[in-house]
Amino acid sequence: MAGYRIPQPLCGTRGAGMDPGTSCLARTPLPGPMSVMPGQQPDAGSWIRDTEWHALSVPWGFYPSTMRLGPEGRALLKSVEALRLEPYDDQSGAATAAWVAGATVGYGHLIRESEWDTWKGGITEAQASDLFDDDLRAYEDAVRNAIGVGLQQHEFDALVVFAFNIGVAGFKKSTVVRLINAGPRSEADTMLLHAAWSAWNRSQGKVMRGLVNRRDCEWKIFTRAVYERW
């Protein structure tokens, strides 16, 4: 299991200074170019491609306020949520012809009662992608606003995927956020974080295999930068 340490420079360069008030500890990054922000074009001939944001790293992590979900995270999240062109009940997975509290469409878009007339007849793939982009902003903002320490790209991605599932309110009050902001220093702290993350595995009081698998998937992204759907 990945731990936490104060990293040494990876490529002979120096990272930017810390945000005021952020932790002095950074999570162990994968080897990669430093001082390269997501969205910037790597040097010519670099092995880093635009779809490999998770390989970019800086010693103290990127400021969360500057980050957004990377292409690997977006692709995995859309795959996990799965495209549904007709409304369905998120609790049962069955199609629904009337609004219910768990009515969902597209890539996991929860339909508000006021939206039912708009989406009750179904959705196109293009509309689903637009809704996904609109929904995603709230979860990216939740991570940016709740996390006060530097993050590597794969850690930010994992947290957004996690928040997308448990909701903005659940994420902000979670023990996961508190432990990350505390700056884990030991393997024991990492184990506590893993336990707090894995605890979000219930729906209507029951442990759900799908949620167990999802938490494992998110943890692999967070600790190992492994983007694999179960």
Side-chain angles (χ1 to χ4, degrees), residues 184-207:
R185 291 172 170 81
S186 68
E187 189 71 13
D189 292 324
T190 305
M191 292 175 67
L192 285 175
L193 179 58
H194 187 200
W197 200 306
S198 301
W200 289 84
N201 62 4
R202 295 176 180 269
S203 177
Q204 298 181 332
K206 297 180 180 180
V207 174

Side-chain angles (χ1 to χ4, degrees), residues 67-217:
M67 303 180 78
R68 59 190 175 95
L69 186 65
E72 306 98 326
R74 288 177 62 88
L76 183 136
L77 181 55
K78 291 178 85 169
S79 172
V80 167
E81 293 298 332
L83 177 62
R84 296 281 296 268
L85 298 179
E86 302 293 333
Y88 65 98
D89 184 346
D90 189 45
Q91 294 299 317
S92 66
T96 180
W99 184 84
V100 294
T104 306
V105 75
Y107 294 103
H109 174 75
L110 195 64
I111 305 173
R112 296 187 295 270
E113 189 171 9
S114 61
E115 295 180 306
W116 179 249
D117 286 343
T118 301
W119 304 122
K120 66 181 180 181
I123 195 170
T124 67
E125 186 170 352
Q127 289 172 323
S129 290
D130 288 343
L131 271 183
F132 176 79
D133 290 341
D134 289 343
D135 290 342
L136 185 59
R137 293 188 187 98
Y139 302 103
E140 290 176 318
D141 284 343
V143 177
R144 293 180 190 122
N145 295 331
I147 301 299
V149 297
L151 293 173
Q152 304 302 339
Q153 181 65 49
H154 60 94
E155 294 174 323
F156 183 85
D157 289 350
L159 289 168
V160 172
V161 174
F162 179 54
F164 196 95
N165 183 239
I166 71 172
V168 169
F171 177 78
K172 287 183 176 180
K173 68 180 183 182
S174 71
T175 304
V176 168
V177 168
R178 179 175 61 80
L179 290 173
I180 290 175
N181 282 335
R185 291 172 170 81
S186 68
E187 189 71 13
D189 292 324
T190 305
M191 292 175 67
L192 285 175
L193 179 58
H194 187 200
W197 200 306
S198 301
W200 289 84
N201 62 4
R202 295 176 180 269
S203 177
Q204 298 181 332
K206 297 180 180 180
V207 174
M208 306 296 292
R209 171 49 56 184
L211 291 178
V212 171
N213 292 339
R214 182 167 182 145
R215 299 291 89 88
D216 287 345
C217 170

